């Protein structure tokens, strides 16, 4: 996964807390692409995103399979499903929800096959059909909300990555008494005698 970081308009990183004139001609360089790739592995970013995506997908699949429950049931399910280790009471509740949904689906299916229907049966079929329609919209809305939440989750991870990288660069630059640290790329730095990339990666790994 290609995690972004905000360096499009940045040519040099000024180490926070270091005066530009404090140390004459004390420059360093860091390969942010390499640091970024290492940090993604260190913090297992791909796994975090896949886990979050998997949770949302499993929730949507479950609701699709159990479409005739109440909104209150759905909300309770979402809370339980987000629990790392549901207790026995929660597991029992989920089983009861699935049984309830299965029973209601069977009831609606039988009503749709029956002809003619009594007035009472017509009212019941209309009630269940209405619930089904409302829940389809609820599930669709939750799908959109999940996509937005997943994007915000990934953006938050990326922002934190950048903060961690900036802090590590600052720390290494301070200890080496560097006034400016340039980013290494084909368009900026072709060679650097004081490449602090590996030291930054080690610093980040130490703070995992």
């Amino acid at each position: 996964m290609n995690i972004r970081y905000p360096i499009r308009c940045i040519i040099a990183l000024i180490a926070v807390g270091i005066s530009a004139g404090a140390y004459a001609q004390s420059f360093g360089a860091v390969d942010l692409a390499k640091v970024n790739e290492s940090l993604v592995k260190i913090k297992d970013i791909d796994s975090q995103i896949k886990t979050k995506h998997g949770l949302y997908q499993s929730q949507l699949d479950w609701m699709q399979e159990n479409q005739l429950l109440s909104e209150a049931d759905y909300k309770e399910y979402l809370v339980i499903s987000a629990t790392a280790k549901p207790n026995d009471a929660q597991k029992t509740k989920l089983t009861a929800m699935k049984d309830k949904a299965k029973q209601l689906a069977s009831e609606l299916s039988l009503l749709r096959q029956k002809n003619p229907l009594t007035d009472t049966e017509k009212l019941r079929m209309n009630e269940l059909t209405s619930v089904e329609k409302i829940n389809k919209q609820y599930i669709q809305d939750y799908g959109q909300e999940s996509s937005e939440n997943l994007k915000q989750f990934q953006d938050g991870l990326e922002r934190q990555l950048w903060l961690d990288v900036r802090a590590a660069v600052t720390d290494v630059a301070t200890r080496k008494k560097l006034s400016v640290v340039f980013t290494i790329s084909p368009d900026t730095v072709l060679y650097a005698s004081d490449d602090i990339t590996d030291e930054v990666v080690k610093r980040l790994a130490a703070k995992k």
Side-chain angles (χ1 to χ4, degrees):
M1 181 169 293
N2 185 21
I3 303 298
R4 305 182 303 271
Y5 42 81
I7 63 170
R8 290 188 297 272
C9 298
I10 298 176
I11 296 178
L13 296 176
I14 307 300
V16 178
I18 301 177
S19 170
Y23 310 110
Q25 302 299 317
S26 51
F27 302 117
V30 61
D31 185 339
L32 285 184
K34 182 178 179 181
V35 171
N36 184 70
E37 182 179 354
S38 298
L39 187 55
V40 167
K41 293 179 180 178
I42 290 170
K43 291 186 174 293
D44 204 11
I45 298 301
D46 287 345
S47 178
Q48 291 188 57
I49 294 173
K50 287 178 181 177
T51 297
K52 181 71 70 174
H53 177 270
L55 171 61
Y56 288 142
Q57 189 59 57
S58 66
Q59 289 175 334
L60 288 168
D61 290 343
W62 192 94
M63 289 189 287
Q64 288 281 6
E65 294 170 1
N66 301 277
Q67 286 195 17
L68 292 174
L69 296 174
S70 67
E71 184 176 339
D73 286 333
Y74 279 152
K75 289 181 177 179
E76 185 172 4
Y77 161 72
L78 291 174
V79 171
I80 296 174
S81 64
T83 303
K85 294 182 178 180
N87 56 39
D88 290 341
Q90 291 173 321
K91 292 178 181 178
T92 299
K93 181 64 177 180
L94 290 178
T95 299
M97 286 183 185
K98 293 191 73 171
D99 290 343
K100 175 184 174 182
K102 185 177 180 180
Q103 180 181 353
L104 291 172
S106 178
E107 181 183 358
L108 179 57
S109 178
L110 289 174
L111 288 172
R112 284 172 170 166
Q113 294 174 33
K114 186 176 180 181
N115 187 28
L117 294 173
T118 66
D119 290 342
T120 300
E121 289 172 333
K122 288 179 182 178
L123 288 174
R124 180 57 173 165
M125 187 171 76
N126 288 338
E127 178 186 357
L128 292 175
T129 301
S130 177
V131 171
E132 183 181 53
K133 181 179 179 181
I134 291 171
N135 285 349
K136 284 183 178 180
Q137 184 61 53
Y138 182 89
I139 295 169
Q140 181 179 332
D141 292 343
Y142 186 71
Q144 294 176 348
E145 180 183 341
S146 297
S147 295
E148 293 171 1
N149 288 341
L150 184 62
K151 184 179 183 304
Q152 291 176 5
F153 178 72
Q154 181 170 344
D155 288 346
L157 290 177
E158 291 174 2
R159 284 193 296 272
Q160 188 58 52
L161 284 181
W162 174 247
L163 291 174
D164 290 345
V165 169
R166 185 63 182 265
V169 170
T170 298
D171 181 69
V172 173
T174 300
R175 287 190 289 103
K176 294 179 71 67
K177 297 183 178 181
L178 303 175
S179 57
V180 176
V181 177
F182 291 93
T183 61
I184 297 176
S185 78
D187 298 326
T188 55
V189 180
L190 296 177
Y191 168 78
S193 60
D194 202 344
D195 184 344
I196 64 173
T197 301
D198 290 341
E199 291 177 75
V200 171
V201 171
K202 290 179 181 178
R203 182 65 177 171
L204 290 167
K207 289 189 173 183
K208 180 180 178 182

